[in-house]
Amino acid sequence: MKKAAILFITFLFISCTTNDSDTQNSQIIGYKIDYNSSPGYNFVRVGHLLNGKLYSETHEDVLNGISQEPVTEQIYFYNADGTVNHYKQGEDRMVYLYYDAGQNLVGAKLVLGAANAAYYRFRHISANVVIFERLNLLYDDPNAVTSQSIVLQFNADNDVIMAGLDTNSDNVADSQINTFSYTNHNIASATFWDGSIQNFDYSNIIENFNHLREISVGKKNLRIISGECYHVLYNSDYFLDNIGTSNNVLLEDANSAVYNVLPNNFYTSKTEAVTGGGTKVTTFFFN
């Protein structure tokens, strides 16, 4: 996930606005990503939603305008109660999620490739405090050993306002503490445990993919899953590339692409240059 997080809004950005008032209450029903990396060749991903949630993608190579046998794969799998059972992350990662009887997220397993796996447990101390634990075995295995504990403190909007290590197993952060403030559902400022402070700027454009992930996985669940990202330092690629929790598009990203934006600030298309030449065009479809 590329820089899908953080900033404080100081600038209003709209490259092209649609004037159709009927789009004010529209909902996303699908998307298409078209990579045009060389003359005559396109790689196309078409996203399909199920009940408004992320569900499957069709991958298609297009050579000189001719489709080369598109393939559709399911990427999000749901339980009967609507919670996510597991989902595909990139080409070789699958994330499995586990819940208690109250639908609280209590465990996760990240499968890397064919053989490697990482295990996590999430202990809900209160409505606003969750302990993120990295384990050597599945979350409910009585022999599981904790290698790291991170205390996550949430505000009333289910945003993480503090993350720090718990080194003595008392459910209180006592080391490497980061704190975060928010404006308009975006991380406005982050103070890191090395003393550095970062402030962030946003466009007014809503980040459509973040919106869909929150609908599909759940806002608080997404932040719990990203628990490790909240306690690293800002200069770590791990922070920006994985945190992905803000409502709007970073200002720097908005200025590096061309957006067509609806009156409700969702975007219908985004055109950007890709490394090595060519373009990437992301299109969203609305009802």
Side-chain angles (χ1 to χ4, degrees), residues 19 60 67 78 83 88 106 180-181 184 251 255 260:
N19 293 318
E60 179 182 8
S67 175
Y78 295 91
T83 56
K88 187 175 182 181
V106 294
F180 307 92
S181 64
N184 298 326
L251 183 59
N255 287 333
N260 291 321

Side-chain angles (χ1 to χ4, degrees), residues 34-240:
D34 189 344
Y35 299 87
N36 180 6
S37 58
S38 60
Y41 174 75
N42 295 65
F43 175 67
V44 180
R45 291 167 50 202
V46 177
H48 313 283
L49 274 59
L50 179 67
N51 298 324
K53 295 183 176 182
L54 294 165
Y55 183 67
S56 65
E57 285 188 343
T58 298
H59 300 172
E60 179 182 8
D61 291 296
V62 180
L63 184 60
N64 295 322
I66 301 174
S67 175
Q68 310 294 308
E69 297 184 9
V71 175
T72 298
E73 65 172 339
Q74 189 173 344
I75 55 175
Y76 277 77
F77 300 78
Y78 295 91
N79 298 312
D81 61 8
T83 56
V84 173
N85 181 281
H86 61 285
Y87 62 94
K88 187 175 182 181
Q89 187 181 66
E91 292 300 320
D92 61 349
R93 295 186 175 197
M94 193 72 77
V95 179
Y96 294 84
L97 303 179
Y98 307 94
Y99 310 84
D100 64 14
Q103 296 186 351
N104 295 304
L105 183 65
V106 294
K109 178 174 70 172
L110 172 61
V111 177
L112 309 170
N116 298 318
Y119 305 95
Y120 306 90
R121 179 169 57 208
F122 314 120
R123 295 191 290 111
H124 296 253
I125 304 304
S126 68
N128 296 323
V129 176
V130 177
I131 310 298
F132 176 108
E133 297 178 320
R134 179 184 281 270
L135 309 173
N136 65 329
L137 298 170
L138 198 59
Y139 80 102
D140 59 352
D141 192 316
N143 297 313
V145 176
T146 302
S147 60
Q148 185 180 65
S149 293
I150 301 170
V151 180
L152 303 174
Q153 182 178 346
F154 292 83
N155 62 17
D157 292 325
N158 287 329
D159 289 309
V160 174
I161 57 174
M162 186 277 295
L165 294 181
D166 175 14
T167 61
N168 58 5
S169 301
D170 63 353
N171 300 329
V172 176
D174 50 48
S175 177
Q176 297 184 5
I177 297 173
N178 295 339
T179 59
F180 307 92
S181 64
Y182 294 81
T183 300
N184 298 326
H185 306 291
N186 299 309
I187 298 178
S189 178
T191 301
F192 297 92
W193 52 265
D194 67 345
S196 63
I197 299 174
Q198 295 291 332
N199 299 307
F200 304 99
D201 296 315
Y202 294 93
S203 71
N204 68 321
I205 304 169
I206 293 174
E207 177 44 73
N208 292 356
F209 280 116
N210 279 359
H211 172 76
L212 288 176
R213 282 189 286 268
E214 285 194 5
I215 291 175
S216 304
V217 182
K219 178 177 179 178
K220 189 172 186 178
N221 290 344
L222 283 175
R223 284 141 184 78
I224 292 174
I225 295 168
S226 301
E228 286 180 308
C229 305
Y230 283 98
H231 99 282
V232 298
L233 295 176
Y234 175 75
N235 59 7
S236 167
D237 289 340
Y238 198 41
F239 180 77
L240 281 179

